[in-house]
Amino acid sequence: MKYMKPLIAANWKMNPVSKKEAEALFEGIKNGVKGASSEVVICPPFVYLSILKGLTLGAQDVYFEEKGAFTGETSALILKNLGIEYVIIGHSERRKYFNETDEIINKKIKKALEAGLKIIFCIGETAEEKDAGKRNEVLQRQIQDGLKDVIDIEYINIAYEPVWAIGTGNNCSVEQTKESIDFIRKFVPEKTRILYGGSVKSENSRAYIEEVGSNGLLVGGASLNAEEFVKIVKSAE
Ligand code: PGA
């Protein structure tokens, strides 16, 4: 839908390494995106969530239990009570390094919705899956299993992030992204935003909104440079 406000989200991953740098990056972005018509969300490491103020924040992960003896974890309720609006769930790095399955992701999505968080749900095929012609099959499985028994689809934003495009500089072509997004669209209502992520830079960002018709972007590496991220936000105007 053309009138949907684009969502431009920054996934800082495990960066930056000091509070001082996190604050400087955040301030730079905050000043630069003033008056932007897109919805801008910053997803920093957990420890910075309570010190950064003035832009919408998202966590990069969440646990599927509410509270209690789960050392090291953070619940959706804790995030919600802190004033956090969004959470990224199912990022390919969590799937790969932390063995997150579609089933775990589904539990996290349900719990996050229950707490009233908005979700950026990441899906995408690996290079091997792409080469084997299994892209659509993988996307369909990730959507259907990840969103199993989920009714509140309107709070879900889907980020299509081909794993081979993440952090590689090898961003997905306009044609291929359009194909995938059109495919994903078959499984979700019209009001669900579908974003693109994977080596987004200010030189390629506009095409994903204008030509592909995606409803936003999930930006990793390029969101660690305030000037560059601001340019990306402006390119979606
Ligand atoms: P990238 O990461 O922009 O550095 O490719 C995107 C992501 O992992 O969300």
Side-chain angles (χ1 to χ4, degrees):
M1 285 195 290
K2 266 274 168 272
Y3 58 86
M4 249 195 283
K5 202 180 196 185
L7 170 62
I8 314 293
N11 176 11
W12 286 2
K13 308 192 181 187
M14 203 166 68
N15 305 288
V17 296
S18 74
K19 174 172 174 268
K20 204 170 150 204
E21 287 167 276
E23 283 170 337
L25 175 57
F26 191 79
E27 286 308 309
I29 293 174
K30 195 162 87 181
N31 292 331
V33 302
K34 271 197 190 110
S37 60
S38 300
E39 187 176 357
V40 176
V41 177
I42 309 297
C43 305
F46 277 106
V47 290
Y48 302 138
L49 284 172
S50 57
I51 54 170
L52 302 174
K53 307 255 183 267
L55 286 172
T56 305
L57 295 176
Q60 297 174 13
D61 182 34
V62 68
Y63 193 53
F64 53 73
E65 295 290 349
E66 202 156 90
K67 61 177 183 168
F70 301 99
T71 303
E73 294 300 316
T74 301
S75 75
L77 188 61
I78 293 175
L79 292 172
K80 183 66 184 178
N81 287 340
L82 192 67
I84 305 307
E85 244 182 80
Y86 278 84
V87 60
I88 298 174
I89 298 180
H91 191 278
S92 66
E93 286 149 21
R94 303 252 9 132
R95 293 178 190 259
K96 181 174 173 199
Y97 303 125
F98 304 96
N99 305 315
E100 282 196 15
T101 60
D102 292 317
E103 195 189 348
I104 293 173
I105 289 163
N106 178 248
K107 281 164 109 173
K108 291 185 171 186
I109 290 177
K110 285 193 207 150
K111 212 61 192 178
L113 286 174
E114 207 179 292
L117 294 173
K118 294 174 191 154
I119 292 165
I120 300 172
F121 168 38
C122 301
I123 59 172
E125 80 287 358
T126 62
E128 295 73 40
E129 289 162 340
K130 176 167 87 93
D131 294 345
K134 292 192 169 152
R135 183 194 62 195
N136 287 0
E137 190 185 314
V138 169
L139 295 178
Q140 182 167 354
R141 191 204 70 228
Q142 291 177 336
I143 298 168
Q144 290 181 332
D145 294 356
L147 297 180
K148 190 162 177 264
D149 302 324
V150 171
I151 325 153
D152 277 339
I153 298 272
E154 63 185 297
Y155 291 107
I156 309 247
N157 301 275
I158 296 192
Y160 171 58
E161 297 206 306
V163 180
W164 49 268
I166 296 178
T168 56
N170 182 20
N171 60 301
C172 191
S173 71
V174 164
E175 297 70 32
Q176 279 184 56
T177 309
K178 198 169 173 351
E179 248 182 60
S180 300
I181 288 189
D182 289 347
F183 180 74
I184 294 165
R185 184 54 76 197
K186 295 183 189 164
F187 302 93
V188 294
E190 243 193 311
K191 60 186 171 190
T192 301
R193 285 187 289 204
I194 305 178
L195 324 183
Y196 168 75
S199 297
V200 171
K201 297 190 279 282
S202 59
E203 298 95 76
N204 60 34
S205 54
R206 194 177 181 83
Y208 292 106
I209 307 285
E210 283 282 308
E211 294 167 44
V212 172
S214 83
N215 311 113
L217 302 162
L218 181 54
V219 186
S223 72
L224 297 172
N225 178 314
E227 204 183 316
E228 174 69 2
F229 184 68
V230 169
K231 271 197 210 165
I232 292 171
V233 171
K234 297 211 163 135
S235 77
E237 302 284 290

